Amino acid sequence: MSVQSPNDGQILNIIRRNGPLSRADIARLTGLTPPTVTNITNKLLEAGLVSDYMIGASRGGRRPLLLKINPAAGQVIIIHIRSFKMIGYVVDTAYNVHFEQTVSIRGLSHEAVLEQILEVIDQCRKAATTPPLAVGVVIRGPVRTQEGISVFAPNIGWKNVPLKYIIEEKTRLPAFIENDSHVLAYGEYYFGVAKDANNMVLLKVGHGIGGGIMFNGSLYRGVNGSAGEVGHTVIDIAGRLCSCGNFGCMEAMASETALTDLVVDAIRCGQTSLIVDMVNGDLDAVTPENIYFAADLGDDLAIGMLSRVAGYLGIGIANLVNVFNPELVVIGGGLAKASQYIEKTVWDTVACKSFESCSSVLEIKYSTQTSENTMKGAADMVFSELVGKITGLS
């Protein structure tokens, strides 16, 4: 994978994210002149980084030749560390998955998780059809991306783990470490429901709540890479205790964990629910999926608690809308599966709690492609870094 100038890299990224494209489309998207686009795309064709795809539809003149990324241009390894499992992928430049492996990390020690990462990387490396160019690791919690340090991974308990250094020392491959919500924001912005937006705020609502903020194709990271920790903004000072030690954080009030706790507490206080039979009376076994299924069956408790969580989520989103005034808020993660039960309450709360000048231009969308778009977002970030770092481009 080799290019010689920033314009080469820009066009390569445009084709990778948006192809197949005509040269006229590339000129429009990049602002480069048609002769410049022609010269660069010819170089990329000769280098085998892009390929001819097909003849496109006419827009009044000659039918254009469409270009697409060449899947054989390179492969990378993506490691997605979720709450209780780890997924390894081998992904090519066209985002085709050539290999996938899932392993459990539930109950593993800090050191055992590191060993598992290296083992999955090794398995992915063996399965790749061409030598992988790099490794991308997606992890929960704040990350210092330049140094590749996991500042705090709440599901593992890591603190200030130099993950980039460890992986590069053991594998001799370039490694890039990124927060899961930031990666998902990238994936939704370029490949998902936010593809046509200029700016957006993403909320990943699962066991916890994380966020990503995209403006004009750039991820806002903040001073030290911690921007987007929206789950730890306080929305009710008298609310539940959060894992961070504060009370009433959005994560403590509106996450899937909060939803499960609300349902279990209500059942223990005597409210009836189909969920009890689903878990054979073992309330410690209740999962968000049980609650969503019960809601689909018309369970009043499940529907009511989803509405309560939606109200808290709406308050948090209203605060973000007032601060950032985005055109789009995307809600992803597990809670998006229950969008039919929460979307009206979320929207009504946002409209009530935010300035009309902000909410009047706002759209809220739900994405249920969290895993796929996280993988694509991570691969896109790594390929973009490879264009800049391996080739010496800025």
Side-chain angles (χ1 to χ4, degrees):
M1 188 174 183
S2 177
V3 295
Q4 279 74 45
S5 77
N7 286 342
D8 293 5
Q10 182 186 14
I11 288 179
L12 187 62
N13 285 337
I14 287 288
I15 295 173
R16 180 165 46 79
R17 290 168 177 158
N18 300 282
L21 292 169
S22 69
R23 288 173 172 83
D25 290 330
I26 296 168
R28 175 178 54 82
L29 289 169
T30 61
L32 299 173
T33 66
T36 298
V37 170
T38 297
N39 289 336
I40 292 175
T41 54
N42 286 344
K43 285 195 298 181
L44 297 177
L45 283 162
E46 291 173 7
L49 297 175
V50 301
S51 58
D52 296 331
Y53 177 58
M54 62 179 292
I55 302 297
S58 173
R59 296 179 182 174
R62 178 185 300 177
R63 296 175 65 189
L65 176 64
L66 304 183
L67 303 175
K68 68 173 184 176
I69 195 75
N70 180 3
Q75 295 179 355
V76 296
I77 296 169
I78 301 300
I79 306 294
H80 183 187
I81 305 173
R82 301 179 62 173
S83 294
F84 303 114
K85 64 183 179 181
M86 180 188 307
I87 309 173
Y89 304 93
V90 176
V91 188
D92 67 28
T93 47
Y95 308 102
N96 300 309
V97 176
H98 292 259
F99 175 77
E100 180 177 336
Q101 181 182 29
T102 301
V103 297
S104 174
I105 60 170
R106 188 186 292 271
L108 294 186
S109 67
H110 305 177
E111 295 78 11
V113 174
L114 277 172
E115 292 174 4
Q116 191 67 74
I117 291 173
L118 296 172
E119 174 62 26
V120 173
I121 290 173
D122 185 59
Q123 293 300 316
C124 288
R125 206 168 189 171
K126 292 175 180 176
T129 57
T130 187
L133 300 170
V135 177
V137 180
V138 182
I139 191 165
R140 290 183 59 194
V143 172
R144 282 160 47 191
T145 53
Q146 292 299 316
E147 301 95 331
I149 294 174
S150 171
V151 177
F152 175 57
N155 55 319
I156 303 171
W158 282 347
K159 290 186 178 180
N160 296 316
V161 175
L163 204 52
K164 175 181 175 69
Y165 172 80
I166 293 169
I167 291 172
E168 290 185 342
E169 183 185 43
K170 297 293 186 181
T171 68
R172 301 302 175 187
L173 289 172
F176 305 97
I177 318 301
E178 187 55 273
N179 166 269
D180 60 346
S181 297
H182 288 182
V183 166
L184 180 57
Y186 238 74
E188 292 293 348
Y189 189 87
Y190 286 114
F191 311 105
V193 298
K195 190 170 177 60
D196 296 325
N198 288 318
N199 59 81
M200 57 87 80
V201 174
L202 171 124
L203 291 178
K204 181 182 179 184
V205 187
H207 292 285
I209 296 180
I213 305 158
M214 296 288 294
F215 287 106
N216 298 322
S218 296
L219 178 70
Y220 178 71
R221 297 182 180 278
V223 174
N224 63 359
S226 295
E229 290 294 331
V230 297
H232 298 290
T233 56
V234 176
I235 58 175
D236 182 356
I237 60 173
R240 289 170 172 258
L241 177 65
C242 183
S243 60
C244 72
N246 286 328
F247 288 87
C249 292
M250 194 193 312
E251 182 169 302
M253 308 301 291
S255 64
E256 286 188 309
T257 301
L259 172 66
T260 303
D261 289 345
L262 285 170
V263 167
V264 169
D265 287 350
I267 293 172
R268 284 180 170 149
C269 287
Q271 295 193 44
T272 59
S273 173
L274 298 173
I275 295 169
V276 176
D277 290 335
M278 290 181 187
V279 296
N280 297 317
D282 181 6
L283 296 183
D284 291 333
V286 174
T287 66
E289 286 70 26
N290 295 141
I291 299 169
Y292 304 149
F293 185 49
D296 288 340
L297 296 175
D299 187 84
D300 289 337
L301 177 62
I303 293 171
M305 291 307 175
L306 279 164
S307 179
R308 180 180 296 187
V309 163
Y312 286 122
L313 188 61
I315 293 171
I317 292 173
N319 292 335
L320 296 171
V321 168
N322 283 341
V323 173
F324 294 107
N325 189 205
E327 65 182 274
L328 175 65
V329 168
V330 175
I331 299 173
L335 193 67
K337 301 172 187 174
S339 60
Q340 62 179 312
Y341 303 109
I342 68 173
E343 57 186 344
K344 185 179 186 305
T345 300
V346 167
W347 177 254
D348 288 348
T349 305
V350 171
C352 176
K353 300 294 184 181
S354 62
F355 280 120
E356 193 273 337
S357 60
C358 295
S359 60
S360 63
V361 295
L362 176 70
E363 187 174 8
I364 299 176
K365 292 184 178 181
Y366 294 80
S367 173
T368 57
Q369 302 298 315
T370 297
S371 294
E372 178 181 352
N373 287 334
T374 297
M375 179 274 293
K376 287 183 176 180
D380 183 80
M381 280 187 165
V382 173
F383 282 122
S384 297
E385 290 287 346
L386 291 175
V387 168
K389 295 185 180 297
I390 291 182
T391 65
L393 302 180
S394 59

